[in-house]
Amino acid sequence: MNSIKNSLLVVLFACFLWSCEQNQEARRPLSQASGSFMKKSIERNKKLVASEEDRIQAVIKKNAGIEFLASKKGYWYHFSKRNMQDTLTPKKGDVAFYDYEVKDLRGNIIYTKEETQPQTYYVDKQNIMMGLRDGIKLMRKKETFVFLFPSHMGYGYHGDNKKIGTNIPLLCTVTLRNFMPEAELKKQEMLRAKALLKQQTIAKDTLNQ
């Protein structure tokens, strides 16, 4: 009896292994299909990037009197207004205060400075447009840059769900008004809060007299 039970267990175990092998074989086409999809996706992205870079180069050639510099991150920029007195640029741990305007490559305004409003950006700690995350760190106080961002440095495939659609390269004019360490900003905010509280206390005492 024990030998029969042992034989049955061996047969069942063999069947289990055979079933696992069959399941593994069945998954192979899915893996191959996934690899093929990834290759096609990569090729599409390469063509998209090349197409957008051609459009950006056309804008640069059209403005031959302006010197555009190529960044290491795959976008272009030129100095509209320089600050040759300062040398510091924003870094992680700083807070940057800036204004910006957004256009398409034809020069059509998408967002005005009034629409975007003054921005406060905690450097490398907030999720803003990828191009701006990098570009702001090139700027000195009171400088204005014009950036040409391919869509992967802008809002990419999804757009911004408002005015910027799918895969739109952007022309952004950015003015860095100021920047400072986070600790300094917190100190200033505390001083303003204390001054406001003092004013409110004085006003309340005046009314009670």
Side-chain angles (χ1 to χ4, degrees):
M1 290 296 291
N2 288 334
S3 61
I4 294 174
K5 286 182 181 180
N6 290 336
S7 298
L8 286 171
L9 288 172
V10 170
V11 171
L12 289 172
F13 183 68
C15 289
F16 173 75
L17 289 176
W18 180 83
S19 175
C20 290
E21 289 177 0
Q22 292 299 312
N23 288 335
Q24 289 174 354
E25 289 294 328
R27 292 192 189 99
R28 285 183 183 178
L30 291 175
S31 177
Q32 291 171 1
S34 177
S36 176
F37 173 80
M38 288 298 294
K39 287 179 181 179
K40 289 180 180 178
S41 179
I42 290 170
E43 287 302 315
R44 282 196 300 270
N45 286 335
K46 285 182 178 179
K47 289 179 180 178
L48 176 64
V49 169
S51 173
E52 291 184 4
E53 287 184 355
D54 287 344
R55 292 168 62 190
I56 288 174
Q57 289 302 322
V59 173
I60 293 174
K61 287 180 181 179
K62 189 176 179 181
N63 295 274
I66 298 174
E67 182 183 9
F68 278 89
L69 304 176
S71 77
K72 296 178 181 179
K73 295 294 180 69
Y75 61 86
W76 289 259
Y77 63 96
H78 84 80
F79 310 105
S80 178
K81 182 180 178 182
R82 298 298 308 272
N83 173 7
M84 304 305 294
Q85 304 301 315
D86 296 326
T87 58
L88 297 177
T89 57
K91 62 183 183 301
K92 188 173 182 179
D94 289 336
V95 185
F97 307 93
Y98 68 98
D99 302 311
Y100 74 111
E101 179 181 75
V102 183
K103 298 179 181 178
D104 62 23
L105 293 186
R106 294 180 180 178
N108 299 313
I109 294 177
I110 301 175
Y111 291 112
T112 65
K113 287 183 179 180
E114 290 71 28
E115 288 178 295
T116 57
Q117 298 181 351
Q119 298 287 314
T120 300
Y121 169 52
Y122 287 75
V123 179
D124 286 344
K125 294 185 178 182
Q126 283 181 267
N127 186 25
I128 63 171
M129 187 196 308
M130 189 179 296
L132 289 180
R133 284 173 63 96
D134 190 72
I136 284 174
K137 290 187 286 187
L138 301 176
M139 302 178 71
R140 302 169 186 174
K141 292 178 182 178
K142 298 181 181 179
E143 285 191 330
T144 299
F145 279 25
V146 176
F147 294 97
L148 293 171
F149 294 131
S151 63
H152 69 272
M153 295 299 292
Y155 290 93
Y157 176 78
H158 295 287
D160 72 344
N161 298 317
K162 294 177 183 177
K163 293 185 179 182
I164 299 173
T166 298
N167 298 326
I168 303 296
L170 300 172
L171 188 157
C172 295
T173 302
V174 182
T175 299
L176 181 63
R177 293 182 287 109
N178 196 7
F179 68 90
M180 65 182 67
E182 288 183 45
E184 178 63 25
L185 177 61
K186 289 179 181 178
K187 181 179 178 181
Q188 291 185 10
E189 289 175 341
M190 287 179 63
L191 290 173
R192 283 195 293 267
K194 287 180 179 179
L196 179 60
L197 180 60
K198 184 177 180 180
Q199 290 176 0
Q200 291 174 344
T201 302
I202 293 173
K204 184 177 180 181
D205 290 342
T206 302
L207 289 173
N208 291 333
Q209 288 178 357

